[in-house]
Amino acid sequence: MHRPKTYTLDEAQKRMERYCAYQERCHQEVTKKLYEMRMIPEARDKIIVHLLEHNFLNEERFTKTFVLGKFRIKKWGRKRLELELKRREISSYNIKLAFKEISDAEYLETFNQLAEKKVAQIKESNLQKKRKKLADYLLYRGWETHLVYDKVNELI
């Protein structure tokens, strides 16, 4: 029989400090991890308060890092970013704050590069299907519909 490991408050706290120091985390991820560690609610609250006080856990910092990382590396648009952040229970205030980190010029430039790169990759002779593939790809990535359809009309 495999018995789940139990943690003292100090052990769990140290483990969560390492967990948060390794990579930015949101409250939801930390709470989930503590739940998986089978910590009682009072201990979870104490650990989260400790992490907040010692700046291991910072929702605003997490949001900015998440937005810039996913935008610059995965080329996600604002709609996808917002959806993913809301899924992690991030406040609208923090989401708006993080979106200010991306300039409109950089946003449009990334969008145009992504669309042009994708249209060159689509090997489809039927123009209607080619337009649909490009639009679906850009919409899945979370780019705004008006941008997507204007770009599809421009490129194809």
Side-chain angles (χ1 to χ4, degrees):
M1 291 285 302
H2 173 53
R3 296 186 70 159
K5 179 159 174 37
T6 56
Y7 299 90
T8 66
L9 187 64
D10 285 342
E11 287 172 339
Q13 200 165 285
K14 293 286 181 229
R15 188 175 169 141
M16 293 315 295
E17 284 177 1
R18 282 193 307 276
Y19 181 68
C20 292
Y22 174 73
Q23 176 183 321
E24 288 296 333
R25 308 284 180 181
C26 66
H27 288 42
Q28 186 187 47
E29 290 170 325
V30 171
T31 305
K32 183 179 177 211
K33 187 75 166 174
L34 288 167
Y35 184 79
E36 289 168 3
M37 291 168 63
R38 303 171 60 112
M39 300 302 291
I40 61 171
E42 292 82 14
R44 284 196 298 250
D45 293 343
K46 265 188 176 173
I47 292 170
I48 288 174
V49 167
H50 169 80
L51 294 172
L52 287 167
E53 286 173 350
H54 292 82
N55 211 17
F56 283 100
L57 193 57
N58 184 326
E59 203 96 297
E60 185 179 323
R61 193 175 61 211
F62 165 80
T63 309
K64 286 180 180 179
T65 306
F66 182 89
V67 165
L68 288 174
K70 297 297 183 190
F71 171 71
R72 293 200 174 125
I73 295 165
K74 290 196 171 194
K75 310 277 188 254
W76 284 0
R78 286 191 179 111
K79 285 183 159 280
R80 174 83 182 264
L81 289 166
E82 186 175 359
L83 180 78
E84 293 294 332
L85 289 168
K86 283 185 176 176
R87 197 174 279 160
R88 288 169 174 78
E89 298 173 7
I90 305 294
S91 69
S92 297
Y93 173 78
N94 279 335
I95 294 172
K96 285 186 182 107
L97 213 60
F99 281 168
K100 288 180 184 172
E101 299 287 309
I102 304 171
S103 71
D104 288 341
E106 183 184 7
Y107 189 74
L108 290 174
E109 184 183 329
T110 301
F111 172 72
N112 290 329
Q113 287 174 351
L114 184 68
E116 287 162 14
K117 183 179 173 190
K118 186 63 181 177
V119 83
Q121 291 174 344
I122 299 173
K123 304 288 182 240
E124 180 66 63
S125 55
N126 183 331
L127 284 182
Q128 205 57 37
K129 286 183 181 178
K130 190 171 186 174
R131 294 169 80 118
K132 180 171 176 13
K133 283 185 180 185
L134 178 62
D136 288 349
Y137 174 79
L138 294 171
L139 290 170
Y140 174 76
R141 286 279 174 107
W143 297 91
E144 289 85 343
T145 51
H146 68 278
L147 287 175
V148 170
Y149 292 119
D150 289 349
K151 196 67 177 176
V152 167
N153 289 332
E154 176 191 320
L155 292 175
I156 304 173

